[in-house]
């Protein structure tokens, strides 16, 4: 068994069993297995043809993104961690070993008829978050080939093939171009570009990301598949993409397929983002919304999900008045305006989405914010929202402050604040709870802001933090159920928009969980500066806190036990479920 040496640590390891192989390299396990590493060893022909490989890998090692944030067992991407040498000769690199036994390709999630819509939304958000993380590190992914995008049951996504991405040497400033592969999600402006020498921009990644998200949320529907109504034969997809002929754009040449999912299942922000990525972006690639904006919009969608009263596996955004997945005969008898002439609501398989809460979308591209896309898109659904399952409690009435003020703050974010950079786990919906801190929900509603100028969302968050301070302090040295963690926006680029999204998300949680309270991570045993939403109820053990999450049917990655303490000790203070 061959031994190799790592450059940075000077440690010797053994080459283990083969795990994967592509045209230019072999991936092997690393022994001992406790290293939790995999070795990507380039074939001799590859090393001869690509003389820049050693310098490329070293540049990646010297300037890594935060690829291990979020989950301790799975990275966001299989990033090179050290260069490998045999007899002093460069042979490849080691990276985190990704156990693919339970993984499913993102493409398979998108095209499968199984699974829930909630899971699709979670995968889309995790994919957007991984792309945003790499863009923050000045990495351009290139294409997003199907085999390099893996997902897990909780929605987590890991990107493979990182050594093909475009990176910058932090010392010399040298840029190493993408080594792209032919792929159905390539941006149209790159159709005739060299796959190995063209320097790219992040906007081309956004096109590929938008294609993947489109297919996830619209049940495998490719943005440039549809009914061709123009002259002659239907052009190829890359030609349609170059002309900005998105099937939902309302262009008479290309219409959605008869059984396509109506675009109205998506909130307005995502509809605008897809138009910006596929229609406006065909002419001006820089108009495509950056990855952080997709993250914010997908988080908002996930938090707005409500459960169908008729079918518990159906969920949909709370912007819709009724479940779009139920067959028409199961809906209340009320005239429904058709989505478009000759277009019928699809009757989808029984297994669909689960649950969440409501939030504000991230800032939208600078297009008219009209629900019908200025008359060119499909008409919005006009049906009644099915009631959520009864919890045996009277629903808490919405607060005037969140309805009016948040709307103003979101409008401010849409008008001109930059990208919303948000990360971390967020919340899910469920029945309201009671507990010792239930009185927190009786906080008086503030007066709405004046029509002329919305008040500062950061100041509003600080005020809510102060109002909840006594309740939160009573939770010290106990376990709580944590629902949401979002980076604080104050003092950062786009901070006002980020804090507006935080406020909207917290307000949505308060509507569903009246005992929810707000705290600032800097006051407690957390790393970083976050706004945190927890349930204001003390639990004696982590198991009891996680049982609360289980009882309310909240996904494991979105509700977990946290031990609140002023000790500053972070390690061991979080207990995740499943």
């Amino acid at each position: 068994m061959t031994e190799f040496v790592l450059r940075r640590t000077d440690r010797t390891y053994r080459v283990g069993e083969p795990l994967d192989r592509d045209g230019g390299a072999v991936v092997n396990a690393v022994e001992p297995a406790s290293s939790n590493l995999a070795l990507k060893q380039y074939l001799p022909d590859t090393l001869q043809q690509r003389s820049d490989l050693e310098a490329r890998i070293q540049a990646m090692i010297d300037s890594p993104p935060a690829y291990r944030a979020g989950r301790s067992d799975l990275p966001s991407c299989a990033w090179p961690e050290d260069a490998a040498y045999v007899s002093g000769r460069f042979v490849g690199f080691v990276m985190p070993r990704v156990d693919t036994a339970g993984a499913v390709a993102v493409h398979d999630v998108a095209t499968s008829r199984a699974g829930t819509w909630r899971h699709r939304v979670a995968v889309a958000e995790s994919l957007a978050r991984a792309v945003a993380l790499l863009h923050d590190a000045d990495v351009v992914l290139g294409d997003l080939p199907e085999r390099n995008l893996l997902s897990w049951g909780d929605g987590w996504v890991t990107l493979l093939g990182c050594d093909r991405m475009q990176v910058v040497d932090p010392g010399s400033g040298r840029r190493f171009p993408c080594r792209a592969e032919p792929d159905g999600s390539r941006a149209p402006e790159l159709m005739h570009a060299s796959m190995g020498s063209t320097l790219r921009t992040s906007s081309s990644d956004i096109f590929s990301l938008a294609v993947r998200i489109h297919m996830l949320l619209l049940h495998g529907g490719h943005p440039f598949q549809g009914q061709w109504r123009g002259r002659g034969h239907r052009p190829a997809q890359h030609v349609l993409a170059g002309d900005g002929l998105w099937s939902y754009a309302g262009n008479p040449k290309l219409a959605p397929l008869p059984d396509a999912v109506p675009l109205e299942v998506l909130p307005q922000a995502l509809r605008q983002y897809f138009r910006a990525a596929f229609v406006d972006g065909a002419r001006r690639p820089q108009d495509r919304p950056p990855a952080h904006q997709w993250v914010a919009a997908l988080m908002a969608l996930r938090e707005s999900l409500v459960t169908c009263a008729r079918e518990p596996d159906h969920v949909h955004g709370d912007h819709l008045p009724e479940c779009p997945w139920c067959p028409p005969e199961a809906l209340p008898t009320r005239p429904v305006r058709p989505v478009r002439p000759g277009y019928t609501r699809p009757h989808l398989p029984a297994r669909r989405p689960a649950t969440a809460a409501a939030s504000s979308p991230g800032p939208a591209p600078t297009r008219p914010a009209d629900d019908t896309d200025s008359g060119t898109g499909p008409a919005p659904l006009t049906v009644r929202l099915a009631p959520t399952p009864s919890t045996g409690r009277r629903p808490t009435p919405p607060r005037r402050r969140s309805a009016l003020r948040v709307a103003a703050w979101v409008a401010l974010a849409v008008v001109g604040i930059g990208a919303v950079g948000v990360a971390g786990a967020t919340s899910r919906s469920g029945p309201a709870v009671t507990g010792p801190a239930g009185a927190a929900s009786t906080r008086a509603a503030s007066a709405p802001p004046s029509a002329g100028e919305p008040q500062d969302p950061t100041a509003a968050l600080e005020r809510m933090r102060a109002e909840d301070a006594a309740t939160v302090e009573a939770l010290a040295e106990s376990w709580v159920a944590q629902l949401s963690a979002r980076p604080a926006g104050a003092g950062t680029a786009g901070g006002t928009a980020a804090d507006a999204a935080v406020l909207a998300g917290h307000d949505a949680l308060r509507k569903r969980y009246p005992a929810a309270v707000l705290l600032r991570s800097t006051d407690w045993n957390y790393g970083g500066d976050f706004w945190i939403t927890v349930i204001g109820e003390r639990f004696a053990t982590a198991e009891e806190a996680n049982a609360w999450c289980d009882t309310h049917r909240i996904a494991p990655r979105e509700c977990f036990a946290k031990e609140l303490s002023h000790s500053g000790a972070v390690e061991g203070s979080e207990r995740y479920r499943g």
Side-chain angles (χ1 to χ4, degrees), residues 362-494:
T366 53
R367 291 189 53 79
D370 181 74
D371 282 345
T372 59
D373 282 326
S374 302
T376 61
L381 298 174
T382 56
V383 286
R384 188 169 58 218
L385 173 66
T388 54
S390 173
T391 65
R393 294 176 50 86
R394 293 176 58 187
T396 304
R399 292 174 287 171
R400 289 177 62 220
R401 176 181 55 73
S402 63
L404 297 174
R405 182 170 297 166
V406 172
W409 286 323
V410 172
L412 173 63
V414 170
V415 167
I417 308 295
V420 179
V422 290
T426 51
S427 61
R428 195 59 83 181
S429 68
V433 303
T434 57
S441 64
T442 62
R443 185 189 302 149
S446 307
S450 63
E453 182 177 353
Q455 297 183 25
D456 180 11
T458 304
L461 287 169
E462 290 292 355
R463 183 170 58 253
M464 295 172 71
R465 171 194 187 187
E467 291 172 353
D468 287 345
T471 301
V472 173
E473 187 60 36
L475 303 175
E477 314 309 323
S478 72
W479 290 90
V480 298
Q482 179 172 312
L483 298 176
S484 175
R486 296 186 183 221
T492 66

Side-chain angles (χ1 to χ4, degrees), residues 232-380:
H233 295 291
R234 182 186 183 279
Q237 286 184 2
H238 71 271
V239 175
L240 295 173
D243 292 337
L245 290 179
W246 174 40
S247 60
Y248 289 97
N251 191 296
K253 294 182 179 180
L254 189 69
L257 294 171
D259 61 348
V261 176
L263 191 64
E264 288 75 22
V265 301
L266 304 179
Q268 179 63 18
L270 282 172
R271 292 184 237 166
Q272 289 180 316
Y273 286 5
F274 282 128
R275 178 175 287 275
F278 299 138
V279 181
D280 302 343
R283 299 182 299 275
R284 299 180 302 278
Q286 66 275 15
D287 285 356
R288 296 175 184 139
H292 279 298
Q293 290 192 14
W294 290 93
V295 173
L298 289 162
M299 286 176 64
L301 171 59
R302 177 166 53 81
E303 293 175 356
S304 77
L305 296 178
V306 293
T307 305
C308 172
R310 304 169 190 82
E311 174 51 66
D313 281 343
H314 290 187
V315 299
H316 58 87
D318 65 1
H319 66 286
L320 289 178
E322 70 173 20
C323 178
W325 316 115
C326 284
E329 58 270 19
L331 301 176
T333 55
R334 176 181 174 181
V336 178
R337 180 152 55 97
V339 174
R340 113 178 3 92
Y343 194 85
T344 57
R345 181 193 305 275
H347 180 190
L348 299 175
R351 288 286 298 171
R352 283 288 172 270
T355 329
S359 179
S360 156
T366 53
R367 291 189 53 79
D370 181 74
D371 282 345
T372 59
D373 282 326
S374 302
T376 61

Side-chain angles (χ1 to χ4, degrees), residues 507-527:
D507 273 340
L509 291 174
R510 282 290 301 275
K511 291 176 184 177
R512 297 184 180 277
Y513 307 99
V517 291
L518 184 70
L519 60 91
R520 189 80 174 253
S521 66
T522 50
D523 297 332
W524 298 89
N525 54 327
Y526 288 90

